[in-house]
Amino acid sequence: MKQFVFCNPTSLAEAVDLLGTEPAEAELLAGGMDLLGRLKKRIDTPKRAVNLKSIPRLATIGETPEGLSLGALVTLTDVAENPVLLVKYRAVAEAAKSVGSMQIRNAGTVGGNLCQRPRCWYFRHRNYVCLQKKGTTCFAEAGESRYHAILGGGPRYFADPLDLAPALIAFDAAVRVVGLKGERIVPLESLYWLPSSKLSMGLILEPGEILAEVRLPAPRSGTRSTYVKFKEKPSFDFSLAGVAAVLSFEGGKLAHARLALSGVAPVPWHAIEAEKALSGVKLEEPLGRQVADLVVKDNAPLADNNYKVALTRTLVRRTLFSLALTRTTP
Ligand SMILES: Cc1cc2nc3c(=O)[nH]c(=O)nc-3n(C[C@H](O)[C@H](O)[C@H](O)COP(=O)(O)OP(=O)(O)OC[C@H]3O[C@@H](n4cnc5c(N)ncnc54)[C@H](O)[C@@H]3O)c2cc1C
């Protein structure tokens, strides 16, 4: 590991100053479950590691009149076990529970999960100077691509591994971001950019910005939600595809639907067209199949990942019907 200065700010303002405006100079450290691996492999070689854990009050979960607030340093274990999340925002708790192993969930944080870097094996290999590392080639395009994107890819094809983001997006979460110019509150979804629209790392924060808090609006009455993740290894693994569904029912019909996916695109994939098809209808076949087809309508798999199209289609259908058949409504 290349040496760096370990900084322990005591406020977000101090952390913002320490981050500075040169992205390569400093990295934020939360639970370290993603960052430490990258530092050890010298994928990143910052001069400063800015420790968020020395800042107080970033690890709280609080109910507000508008909904729920999650501090950036809340651990994934705390999200998975929180009674309010388990009842009102079940998909978020289930998504947190699905991340890695217990050790990773105990250390990993909400902010770190939402801001982790792509899991592409070319990006994570120090010898490949890929497009993501300011090189000229996305090696997945002509190389080993079985874990890569089937939707929204190009010119880079990594698939986002973030379990928490689709569940939070399906609940219309917003984030409070603090930076050199003050703070802004924006929809979480708007922070993720496709590689075709901006050569991004997935999540777009301005240099020096810190994700301080996630805000969840109160769910509508009659809302049920779930996050279903398909992974290759039965123990801990990243998602090949994950589906977050938030459905509100009124008189047996769907009044409101949100669907977002992990593992299929370079960003959390918000299936807007499929949501529209679910509005005001009774959830039964053949609608389930039609909605699943809509989710993967624009699929463009690479050489090795065609299997993900059928996998995603099936997962969407199963997720929708598992929710439709749930009897209890919180
Ligand atoms: C074996 C293994 C299995 C894993 N399995 C999964 C999985 O199944 N699903 C999954 O989603 N992830 C998985 N991960 C990835 C990762 O460990 C977790 O996502 C974890 O939540 C990251 O959180 P952290 O606090 O440890 O982040 P860190 O490693 O501390 O930070 C991650 C990145 O985010 C930045 N960052 C951290 N906090 C903030 C903030 N508040 N504002 C702005 N930037 C910030 C850091 O600078 C860094 O670049 C796995 C990792 C490993 C090693």
Side-chain angles (χ1 to χ4, degrees), residues 2 42 141 269 283:
K2 192 165 172 283
R42 298 194 179 214
E141 200 173 356
W269 190 257
L283 186 50

Side-chain angles (χ1 to χ4, degrees), residues 156-196:
R156 288 176 291 177
Y157 292 88
F158 61 85
D160 99 75
L162 302 82
D163 284 309
L164 220 45
L168 290 170
I169 287 170
F171 272 108
D172 299 322
V175 285
R176 184 165 63 89
V177 175
V178 178
L180 286 166
K181 295 182 202 147
E183 67 175 49
R184 57 192 176 119
I185 293 168
V186 288
L188 172 60
E189 186 181 358
S190 71
L191 290 185
Y192 295 98
W193 289 59
L194 282 172
S196 54

Side-chain angles (χ1 to χ4, degrees), residues 28 30-35 38 100 109 113 116 161 163 211 229 237:
L28 276 177
M33 293 296 98
D34 174 34
L35 182 65
R38 282 163 33 217
T109 64
N113 192 272
Q116 62 181 294
D163 284 309
L211 192 158
K229 168 173 171 177
D237 209 349

Side-chain angles (χ1 to χ4, degrees), residues 27-36 38 52 72 76 98-100 104 107-109 111-113 115-117 119 161-163 205 209-211 229 236-238:
E27 279 283 340
L28 276 177
L29 175 74
M33 293 296 98
D34 174 34
L35 182 65
L36 292 185
R38 282 163 33 217
L52 272 180
L76 299 170
S98 80
V99 174
I104 286 164
T109 64
N113 192 272
C115 300
Q116 62 181 294
R117 299 288 194 264
R119 273 284 143 189
L162 302 82
D163 284 309
L205 293 175
E209 279 193 327
I210 300 173
L211 192 158
K229 168 173 171 177
F236 62 92
D237 209 349
F238 293 93

